[in-house]
Amino acid sequence: LAPGHSASAPSRRRQHGVAAMAGRAGADEDGSTSLFFLLALLICVVAPWSISVFFALLHPGRDKVRQAFPTVTDDGRQVRQCQTQAMSEKRDAQIRRLTSRTQNCSRGFAFRTVVLALLWVWLIYIAVQLNRIMATSSLYVDFDPYGLLGVARSAKKSDVKKAFHKMSLKYHPDKNPDPTAAEKFILVKKAFDALTDPIAKKNFEMYGNPDGPTRIELGVALPTFSKEQQGPVLMLFVLGFILGLPLTVLCCCMGGASSDVCPNGVLRATMQEVGQKLTMSSDLRACQALLLAAEENSSCRPRPGEEEALEKLATEVRPKGMKATQPMSKAEILFFAHTRRLHDKLTAEMVQDLEAMLPKWRAVSLGIVEVAAAQGFVSA
Protein backbone atom coordinates (compact mmCIF):
# COMPACT_ATOMS: atom_id res chain seq x y z
CA LEU A 1 0.00 0.00 0.00
CA ALA A 2 1.13 3.52 -0.71
CA PRO A 3 1.67 5.78 2.30
CA GLY A 4 -1.51 7.50 3.38
CA HIS A 5 -3.86 4.84 1.99
CA SER A 6 -5.87 2.55 4.22
CA ALA A 7 -6.19 -1.22 3.82
CA SER A 8 -9.02 -2.62 1.76
CA ALA A 9 -12.20 -3.93 3.40
CA PRO A 10 -11.40 -7.65 2.78
CA SER A 11 -7.93 -7.13 4.23
CA ARG A 12 -9.34 -5.47 7.35
CA ARG A 13 -11.83 -8.32 7.81
CA ARG A 14 -9.01 -10.88 7.55
CA GLN A 15 -6.96 -9.02 10.13
CA HIS A 16 -9.95 -8.71 12.46
CA GLY A 17 -10.58 -12.46 12.04
CA VAL A 18 -6.99 -13.27 12.95
CA ALA A 19 -7.20 -11.02 16.01
CA ALA A 20 -10.50 -12.63 17.10
CA MET A 21 -9.06 -16.13 16.72
CA ALA A 22 -6.00 -15.02 18.66
CA GLY A 23 -8.26 -13.62 21.39
CA ARG A 24 -10.09 -16.94 21.69
CA ALA A 25 -6.78 -18.78 21.85
CA GLY A 26 -5.66 -16.46 24.61
CA ALA A 27 -8.88 -17.06 26.48
CA ASP A 28 -8.23 -20.82 26.32
CA GLU A 29 -4.70 -20.31 27.67
CA ASP A 30 -5.45 -17.75 30.36
CA GLY A 31 -6.29 -20.36 32.99
CA SER A 32 -10.03 -19.67 33.07
CA THR A 33 -10.92 -23.10 31.69
CA SER A 34 -9.00 -24.89 34.45
CA LEU A 35 -10.48 -22.56 37.05
CA PHE A 36 -14.03 -23.26 35.87
CA PHE A 37 -13.31 -26.99 36.03
CA LEU A 38 -11.85 -26.73 39.55
CA LEU A 39 -14.74 -24.52 40.67
CA ALA A 40 -17.26 -27.14 39.47
CA LEU A 41 -15.44 -29.90 41.39
CA LEU A 42 -15.34 -27.81 44.56
CA ILE A 43 -19.06 -27.03 44.33
CA CYS A 44 -19.83 -30.76 43.99
CA VAL A 45 -18.01 -31.37 47.28
CA VAL A 46 -18.77 -28.22 49.29
CA ALA A 47 -22.50 -27.89 48.56
CA PRO A 48 -23.74 -31.27 49.91
CA TRP A 49 -21.19 -31.17 52.74
CA SER A 50 -22.43 -27.74 53.83
CA ILE A 51 -26.04 -28.93 53.79
CA SER A 52 -25.09 -31.91 55.96
CA VAL A 53 -23.24 -29.74 58.50
CA PHE A 54 -26.06 -27.20 58.59
CA PHE A 55 -28.63 -29.97 59.18
CA ALA A 56 -26.45 -31.44 61.96
CA LEU A 57 -26.25 -28.02 63.66
CA LEU A 58 -29.97 -27.40 63.20
CA HIS A 59 -31.06 -30.83 64.49
CA PRO A 60 -28.26 -32.14 66.75
CA GLY A 61 -28.49 -35.75 67.86
CA ARG A 62 -31.60 -36.50 65.82
CA ASP A 63 -30.35 -39.88 64.61
CA LYS A 64 -29.17 -40.82 68.10
CA VAL A 65 -32.64 -40.12 69.53
CA ARG A 66 -34.29 -42.25 66.83
CA GLN A 67 -31.89 -45.07 67.57
CA ALA A 68 -32.34 -44.86 71.34
CA PHE A 69 -36.14 -44.46 71.22
CA PRO A 70 -37.47 -46.11 68.05
CA THR A 71 -41.12 -45.64 67.19
CA VAL A 72 -41.38 -48.70 64.93
CA THR A 73 -39.72 -52.11 65.21
CA ASP A 74 -37.87 -53.80 62.36
CA ASP A 75 -40.97 -55.81 61.51
CA GLY A 76 -43.18 -52.68 61.36
CA ARG A 77 -44.85 -52.82 64.76
CA GLN A 78 -45.44 -49.68 66.83
CA VAL A 79 -43.25 -49.22 69.91
CA ARG A 80 -44.98 -47.90 73.04
CA GLN A 81 -42.69 -46.19 75.56
CA CYS A 82 -43.38 -46.41 79.27
CA GLN A 83 -45.43 -43.34 80.31
CA THR A 84 -44.82 -43.41 84.04
CA GLN A 85 -43.52 -40.18 85.53
CA ALA A 86 -40.15 -41.65 86.49
CA MET A 87 -39.50 -43.20 83.07
CA SER A 88 -40.74 -40.09 81.26
CA GLU A 89 -38.32 -37.91 83.23
CA LYS A 90 -35.46 -40.29 82.49
CA ARG A 91 -36.38 -40.38 78.82
CA ASP A 92 -36.60 -36.59 78.60
CA ALA A 93 -33.25 -36.21 80.36
CA GLN A 94 -31.61 -38.67 77.96
CA ILE A 95 -33.14 -36.89 74.95
CA ARG A 96 -31.81 -33.55 76.22
CA ARG A 97 -28.39 -35.11 76.62
CA LEU A 98 -28.43 -36.64 73.14
CA THR A 99 -29.60 -33.40 71.51
CA SER A 100 -27.13 -31.19 73.34
CA ARG A 101 -25.06 -29.17 70.87
CA THR A 102 -22.04 -29.22 73.19
CA GLN A 103 -22.03 -33.02 73.20
CA ASN A 104 -22.52 -33.34 69.43
CA CYS A 105 -19.74 -30.83 68.66
CA SER A 106 -16.94 -33.34 69.03
CA ARG A 107 -13.35 -32.91 67.90
CA GLY A 108 -14.05 -34.77 64.70
CA PHE A 109 -17.01 -32.54 63.92
CA ALA A 110 -14.94 -29.43 64.65
CA PHE A 111 -12.13 -30.68 62.40
CA ARG A 112 -14.55 -31.39 59.54
CA THR A 113 -16.11 -27.94 59.97
CA VAL A 114 -12.69 -26.27 59.79
CA VAL A 115 -11.83 -28.21 56.63
CA LEU A 116 -15.18 -27.21 55.13
CA ALA A 117 -14.53 -23.55 56.00
CA LEU A 118 -11.12 -23.72 54.30
CA LEU A 119 -12.73 -25.22 51.20
CA TRP A 120 -15.22 -22.34 51.18
CA VAL A 121 -12.36 -19.84 51.41
CA TRP A 122 -10.63 -21.57 48.50
CA LEU A 123 -13.85 -21.60 46.48
CA ILE A 124 -14.42 -17.87 47.07
CA TYR A 125 -10.81 -17.15 46.11
CA ILE A 126 -11.24 -19.05 42.84
CA ALA A 127 -14.49 -17.19 42.14
CA VAL A 128 -12.69 -13.87 42.67
CA GLN A 129 -9.90 -14.95 40.33
CA LEU A 130 -12.45 -15.99 37.72
CA ASN A 131 -14.15 -12.61 38.02
CA ARG A 132 -10.78 -10.96 37.51
CA ILE A 133 -10.08 -13.02 34.41
CA MET A 134 -13.52 -12.34 32.98
CA ALA A 135 -13.11 -8.62 33.62
CA THR A 136 -9.73 -8.66 31.87
CA SER A 137 -11.12 -10.64 28.96
CA SER A 138 -14.08 -8.28 28.56
CA LEU A 139 -11.64 -5.36 28.45
CA TYR A 140 -10.09 -6.75 25.28
CA VAL A 141 -13.28 -7.73 23.47
CA ASP A 142 -12.97 -6.45 19.87
CA PHE A 143 -9.67 -4.79 20.81
CA ASP A 144 -8.61 -2.60 17.86
CA PRO A 145 -5.63 -0.36 18.59
CA TYR A 146 -6.04 1.59 15.33
CA GLY A 147 -9.67 2.37 16.08
CA LEU A 148 -8.93 3.33 19.68
CA LEU A 149 -6.26 5.82 18.59
CA GLY A 150 -8.20 6.96 15.53
CA VAL A 151 -5.36 6.36 13.06
CA ALA A 152 -5.14 4.48 9.81
CA ARG A 153 -3.42 1.12 9.63
CA SER A 154 -0.73 2.70 7.47
CA ALA A 155 -0.05 5.50 9.94
CA LYS A 156 3.55 6.33 10.77
CA LYS A 157 4.98 5.94 14.24
CA SER A 158 5.03 9.72 14.71
CA ASP A 159 1.31 9.88 13.84
CA VAL A 160 0.61 7.15 16.36
CA LYS A 161 2.47 9.11 19.05
CA LYS A 162 0.53 12.29 18.26
CA ALA A 163 -2.78 10.42 18.39
CA PHE A 164 -1.82 8.80 21.69
CA HIS A 165 -0.83 12.15 23.19
CA LYS A 166 -4.15 13.63 22.13
CA MET A 167 -6.26 10.72 23.40
CA SER A 168 -4.34 10.45 26.68
CA LEU A 169 -5.00 14.08 27.44
CA LYS A 170 -8.67 13.54 26.62
CA TYR A 171 -9.19 10.50 28.86
CA HIS A 172 -6.67 11.13 31.65
CA PRO A 173 -8.49 10.51 34.98
CA ASP A 174 -7.08 13.73 36.46
CA LYS A 175 -8.60 15.81 33.67
CA ASN A 176 -11.72 13.85 32.77
CA PRO A 177 -14.35 13.37 35.55
CA ASP A 178 -16.17 10.66 33.58
CA PRO A 179 -16.13 7.38 35.59
CA THR A 180 -15.27 5.42 32.43
CA ALA A 181 -12.34 7.69 31.59
CA ALA A 182 -9.83 5.59 33.55
CA GLU A 183 -10.79 2.43 31.65
CA LYS A 184 -10.59 4.24 28.31
CA PHE A 185 -7.21 5.71 29.27
CA ILE A 186 -5.91 2.18 29.97
CA LEU A 187 -7.19 0.97 26.60
CA VAL A 188 -5.53 3.90 24.83
CA LYS A 189 -2.23 3.08 26.56
CA LYS A 190 -2.58 -0.60 25.60
CA ALA A 191 -3.36 0.40 22.01
CA PHE A 192 -0.26 2.58 21.88
CA ASP A 193 1.88 -0.27 23.25
CA ALA A 194 0.39 -2.71 20.73
CA LEU A 195 1.55 -0.46 17.86
CA THR A 196 4.93 0.69 19.17
CA ASP A 197 6.37 -1.88 21.57
CA PRO A 198 7.72 -5.00 19.79
CA ILE A 199 6.73 -7.44 22.57
CA ALA A 200 3.24 -5.96 23.00
CA LYS A 201 2.78 -5.97 19.22
CA LYS A 202 3.72 -9.65 19.05
CA ASN A 203 1.33 -10.48 21.90
CA PHE A 204 -1.46 -8.62 20.10
CA GLU A 205 -0.85 -10.55 16.91
CA MET A 206 -0.80 -13.92 18.77
CA TYR A 207 -3.35 -13.48 21.56
CA GLY A 208 -5.47 -10.48 20.57
CA ASN A 209 -4.20 -8.25 23.41
CA PRO A 210 -0.84 -6.59 24.16
CA ASP A 211 -0.47 -8.31 27.55
CA GLY A 212 -0.48 -11.84 26.18
CA PRO A 213 -2.10 -14.78 28.01
CA THR A 214 -2.91 -13.89 31.60
CA ARG A 215 -2.35 -16.73 34.06
CA ILE A 216 -3.48 -17.07 37.64
CA GLU A 217 -1.32 -18.81 40.20
CA LEU A 218 -3.44 -20.81 42.66
CA GLY A 219 -0.61 -21.93 44.88
CA VAL A 220 -1.27 -25.62 44.11
CA ALA A 221 -0.28 -27.87 41.26
CA LEU A 222 -3.30 -28.31 38.99
CA PRO A 223 -3.32 -30.48 35.88
CA THR A 224 -4.33 -28.86 32.64
CA PHE A 225 -6.95 -30.62 30.51
CA SER A 226 -8.00 -30.00 26.99
CA LYS A 227 -11.65 -29.56 26.13
CA GLU A 228 -11.78 -33.14 24.85
CA GLN A 229 -10.39 -34.46 28.14
CA GLN A 230 -12.55 -32.44 30.54
CA GLY A 231 -15.69 -34.55 30.02
CA PRO A 232 -14.07 -37.92 30.84
CA VAL A 233 -12.12 -36.40 33.75
CA LEU A 234 -15.32 -34.96 35.24
CA MET A 235 -17.06 -38.34 34.89
CA LEU A 236 -14.13 -40.07 36.59
CA PHE A 237 -14.32 -37.54 39.43
CA VAL A 238 -18.06 -38.09 39.87
CA LEU A 239 -17.70 -41.87 39.83
CA GLY A 240 -14.58 -41.99 41.96
CA PHE A 241 -15.13 -39.26 44.55
CA ILE A 242 -18.88 -38.62 44.71
CA LEU A 243 -19.92 -42.29 44.41
CA GLY A 244 -16.82 -44.41 44.94
CA LEU A 245 -15.62 -42.91 48.22
CA PRO A 246 -18.97 -43.10 50.10
CA LEU A 247 -19.60 -46.63 48.82
CA THR A 248 -16.10 -47.70 49.87
CA VAL A 249 -16.61 -46.30 53.37
CA LEU A 250 -20.04 -47.97 53.58
CA CYS A 251 -18.64 -51.33 52.47
CA CYS A 252 -15.82 -51.06 55.01
CA CYS A 253 -18.29 -50.26 57.78
CA MET A 254 -20.56 -53.11 56.79
CA GLY A 255 -17.63 -55.44 56.39
CA GLY A 256 -16.25 -54.56 59.81
CA ALA A 257 -19.63 -54.98 61.46
CA SER A 258 -20.39 -58.34 59.79
CA SER A 259 -17.38 -60.02 61.43
CA ASP A 260 -18.70 -59.67 64.99
CA VAL A 261 -22.28 -58.33 64.79
CA CYS A 262 -25.28 -59.72 62.93
CA PRO A 263 -27.58 -57.46 60.88
CA ASN A 264 -30.07 -57.40 63.78
CA GLY A 265 -27.45 -55.81 66.05
CA VAL A 266 -26.79 -58.94 68.14
CA LEU A 267 -23.29 -60.33 68.55
CA ARG A 268 -22.66 -63.30 66.29
CA ALA A 269 -21.49 -65.44 69.19
CA THR A 270 -24.81 -64.84 70.95
CA MET A 271 -26.87 -65.80 67.89
CA GLN A 272 -24.83 -68.98 67.46
CA GLU A 273 -25.45 -69.91 71.09
CA VAL A 274 -29.18 -69.26 70.69
CA GLY A 275 -29.32 -71.34 67.52
CA GLN A 276 -27.68 -74.29 69.25
CA LYS A 277 -29.62 -74.26 72.54
CA LEU A 278 -33.10 -73.07 71.51
CA THR A 279 -35.42 -76.05 70.99
CA MET A 280 -39.10 -76.73 70.63
CA SER A 281 -39.33 -77.56 74.36
CA SER A 282 -37.63 -74.32 75.46
CA ASP A 283 -39.87 -72.44 77.90
CA LEU A 284 -39.74 -68.87 79.19
CA ARG A 285 -37.18 -69.76 81.86
CA ALA A 286 -34.89 -71.30 79.23
CA CYS A 287 -35.21 -68.20 77.05
CA GLN A 288 -34.37 -66.05 80.08
CA ALA A 289 -31.28 -68.18 80.67
CA LEU A 290 -30.24 -67.63 77.04
CA LEU A 291 -30.71 -63.89 77.49
CA LEU A 292 -28.57 -63.81 80.63
CA ALA A 293 -25.89 -65.98 78.99
CA ALA A 294 -25.59 -63.61 76.00
CA GLU A 295 -22.15 -62.33 75.12
CA GLU A 296 -23.44 -58.75 75.45
CA ASN A 297 -23.54 -59.14 79.24
CA SER A 298 -19.76 -59.39 79.41
CA SER A 299 -19.54 -55.63 78.79
CA CYS A 300 -21.33 -54.96 82.10
CA ARG A 301 -18.51 -55.19 84.62
CA PRO A 302 -18.50 -54.08 88.28
CA ARG A 303 -17.14 -50.62 88.89
CA PRO A 304 -14.40 -50.12 91.48
CA GLY A 305 -15.84 -50.06 94.99
CA GLU A 306 -19.37 -51.35 94.23
CA GLU A 307 -18.79 -55.05 94.98
CA GLU A 308 -20.37 -54.73 98.43
CA ALA A 309 -23.46 -52.97 97.08
CA LEU A 310 -23.85 -55.63 94.39
CA GLU A 311 -23.60 -58.46 96.95
CA LYS A 312 -26.27 -56.83 99.11
CA LEU A 313 -28.53 -56.32 96.09
CA ALA A 314 -27.97 -59.91 94.95
CA THR A 315 -29.43 -61.26 98.18
CA GLU A 316 -32.65 -59.32 97.49
CA VAL A 317 -33.10 -60.19 93.82
CA ARG A 318 -31.81 -63.79 93.80
CA PRO A 319 -34.49 -65.99 92.17
CA LYS A 320 -36.03 -68.89 94.02
CA GLY A 321 -34.29 -72.13 93.28
CA MET A 322 -30.87 -70.49 92.81
CA LYS A 323 -28.34 -71.59 95.41
CA ALA A 324 -27.03 -68.88 97.70
CA THR A 325 -23.47 -69.92 96.90
CA GLN A 326 -24.00 -69.60 93.18
CA PRO A 327 -22.29 -66.39 91.95
CA MET A 328 -24.31 -63.81 90.03
CA SER A 329 -22.87 -61.46 87.45
CA LYS A 330 -23.59 -57.76 87.55
CA ALA A 331 -25.76 -58.08 84.43
CA GLU A 332 -27.90 -60.73 86.15
CA ILE A 333 -28.29 -58.60 89.28
CA LEU A 334 -29.36 -55.58 87.25
CA PHE A 335 -31.73 -57.70 85.16
CA PHE A 336 -33.59 -59.14 88.15
CA ALA A 337 -33.64 -55.73 89.88
CA HIS A 338 -35.20 -54.27 86.76
CA THR A 339 -37.83 -57.00 86.36
CA ARG A 340 -38.82 -56.56 90.01
CA ARG A 341 -38.85 -52.75 89.71
CA LEU A 342 -36.26 -52.25 92.44
CA HIS A 343 -34.75 -49.18 90.80
CA ASP A 344 -34.68 -47.33 94.12
CA LYS A 345 -32.12 -49.86 95.34
CA LEU A 346 -29.70 -48.98 92.52
CA THR A 347 -26.97 -46.38 92.68
CA ALA A 348 -26.64 -43.73 89.99
CA GLU A 349 -23.83 -45.71 88.32
CA MET A 350 -25.94 -48.90 88.35
CA VAL A 351 -28.85 -47.03 86.75
CA GLN A 352 -26.52 -45.79 84.04
CA ASP A 353 -25.25 -49.32 83.38
CA LEU A 354 -28.82 -50.65 83.35
CA GLU A 355 -29.89 -48.10 80.76
CA ALA A 356 -26.94 -49.16 78.63
CA MET A 357 -27.92 -52.85 78.86
CA LEU A 358 -31.66 -52.50 78.17
CA PRO A 359 -31.30 -51.91 74.37
CA LYS A 360 -28.93 -54.89 74.16
CA TRP A 361 -31.36 -57.17 76.00
CA ARG A 362 -34.16 -56.03 73.73
CA ALA A 363 -32.09 -56.85 70.63
CA VAL A 364 -31.18 -60.31 72.03
CA SER A 365 -34.85 -61.01 72.87
CA LEU A 366 -35.88 -60.16 69.30
CA GLY A 367 -33.03 -62.36 68.06
CA ILE A 368 -34.40 -65.29 70.07
CA VAL A 369 -37.83 -64.72 68.53
CA GLU A 370 -36.28 -64.61 65.04
CA VAL A 371 -34.52 -67.96 65.58
CA ALA A 372 -37.72 -69.50 66.97
CA ALA A 373 -39.72 -68.29 63.95
CA ALA A 374 -37.06 -69.51 61.50
CA GLN A 375 -36.98 -73.02 63.04
CA GLY A 376 -40.75 -73.32 63.31
CA PHE A 377 -40.98 -72.86 67.08
CA VAL A 378 -43.80 -70.31 66.82
CA SER A 379 -46.06 -72.28 69.10
CA ALA A 380 -43.31 -72.46 71.71
Side-chain angles (χ1 to χ4, degrees):
L1 291 175
H5 290 78
S6 60
S8 61
S11 177
R12 288 196 300 270
R13 284 194 295 269
R14 284 195 298 271
Q15 293 174 356
H16 279 296
V18 172
M21 293 176 62
R24 287 192 293 270
D28 289 339
E29 297 182 8
D30 63 359
S32 60
T33 305
S34 299
L35 284 178
F36 271 117
F37 181 72
L38 179 60
L39 185 65
L41 297 186
L42 280 177
I43 290 175
C44 291
V45 176
V46 171
W49 194 357
S50 300
I51 295 174
S52 176
V53 171
F54 178 76
F55 186 82
L57 291 175
L58 193 62
H59 303 284
R62 189 171 184 176
D63 295 336
K64 294 180 180 179
V65 173
R66 289 179 178 177
Q67 184 178 3
F69 303 102
T71 58
V72 182
T73 61
D74 296 336
D75 54 358
R77 298 183 180 183
Q78 295 291 329
V79 176
R80 297 178 60 186
Q81 303 291 342
C82 180
Q83 299 300 322
T84 60
Q85 183 177 358
M87 293 304 296
S88 297
E89 291 177 354
K90 290 182 180 180
R91 185 165 57 250
D92 294 340
Q94 188 173 358
I95 290 176
R96 286 194 298 269
R97 181 177 59 84
L98 293 176
T99 56
S100 174
R101 284 188 170 85
T102 56
Q103 183 179 3
N104 286 276
C105 292
S106 59
R107 292 182 179 179
F109 181 81
F111 176 77
R112 292 192 297 270
T113 305
V114 171
V115 173
L116 178 62
L118 293 176
L119 288 178
W120 268 111
V121 172
W122 194 21
L123 188 147
I124 293 173
Y125 173 74
I126 294 175
V128 171
Q129 297 293 350
L130 273 175
N131 186 42
R132 175 182 164 188
I133 291 179
M134 299 303 293
T136 304
S137 301
S138 63
L139 189 65
Y140 293 118
V141 173
D142 298 330
F143 182 77
D144 181 12
Y146 298 98
L148 290 171
L149 294 176
V151 297
R153 294 183 178 273
S154 59
K156 298 179 181 180
K157 191 173 184 179
S158 59
D159 297 333
V160 173
K161 289 182 179 180
K162 291 179 182 179
F164 169 68
H165 182 69
K166 179 181 177 181
M167 300 297 289
S168 62
L169 291 176
K170 179 181 178 181
Y171 293 115
H172 198 282
D174 295 338
K175 297 181 179 181
N176 193 332
D178 190 352
T180 61
E183 182 177 327
K184 293 179 179 179
F185 178 79
I186 294 175
L187 287 175
V188 169
K189 180 65 172 62
K190 298 295 183 182
F192 176 72
D193 292 340
L195 298 180
T196 57
D197 184 81
I199 298 178
K201 187 175 183 179
K202 184 178 180 180
N203 287 334
F204 170 67
E205 293 174 353
M206 294 181 61
Y207 305 109
N209 68 80
D211 296 332
T214 57
R215 294 187 177 274
I216 303 298
E217 297 294 336
L218 292 179
V220 295
L222 293 175
T224 57
F225 305 107
S226 64
K227 290 185 177 181
E228 292 77 10
Q229 294 174 336
Q230 289 176 11
V233 170
L234 182 58
M235 289 298 298
L236 289 175
F237 173 80
V238 172
L239 294 176
F241 192 86
I242 303 298
L243 299 178
L245 184 61
L247 290 178
T248 302
V249 174
L250 181 61
C251 290
C252 291
C253 294
M254 294 179 64
S258 62
S259 59
D260 297 325
V261 182
C262 295
N264 58 2
V266 182
L267 293 177
R268 191 170 298 277
T270 299
M271 292 303 295
Q272 292 176 352
E273 186 75 11
V274 171
Q276 293 175 0
K277 295 185 177 181
L278 188 65
T279 62
M280 176 68 76
S281 59
S282 298
D283 56 4
L284 183 60
R285 188 179 297 275
C287 293
Q288 177 179 293
L290 288 175
L291 177 62
L292 295 177
E295 190 67 24
E296 281 79 357
N297 295 323
S298 61
S299 62
C300 185
R301 298 183 178 90
R303 297 173 182 265
E306 67 176 5
E307 288 81 2
E308 183 178 353
L310 287 174
E311 291 179 2
K312 181 178 179 181
L313 184 61
T315 58
E316 298 184 28
V317 301
R318 185 180 299 274
K320 295 180 179 180
M322 180 181 290
K323 297 180 180 179
T325 57
Q326 184 177 348
M328 295 179 65
S329 64
K330 181 179 179 179
E332 290 178 308
I333 296 173
L334 294 179
F335 176 82
F336 290 119
H338 175 67
T339 55
R340 298 184 183 183
R341 298 297 187 266
L342 298 177
H343 301 99
D344 56 334
K345 303 287 186 179
L346 304 179
T347 63
E349 291 79 8
M350 292 181 185
V351 172
Q352 184 178 356
D353 294 337
L354 176 61
E355 291 178 351
M357 291 302 302
L358 286 176
K360 298 180 181 180
W361 289 334
R362 177 180 180 275
V364 174
S365 301
L366 293 176
I368 295 175
V369 175
E370 290 177 5
V371 173
Q375 296 184 2
F377 301 158
V378 180
S379 58

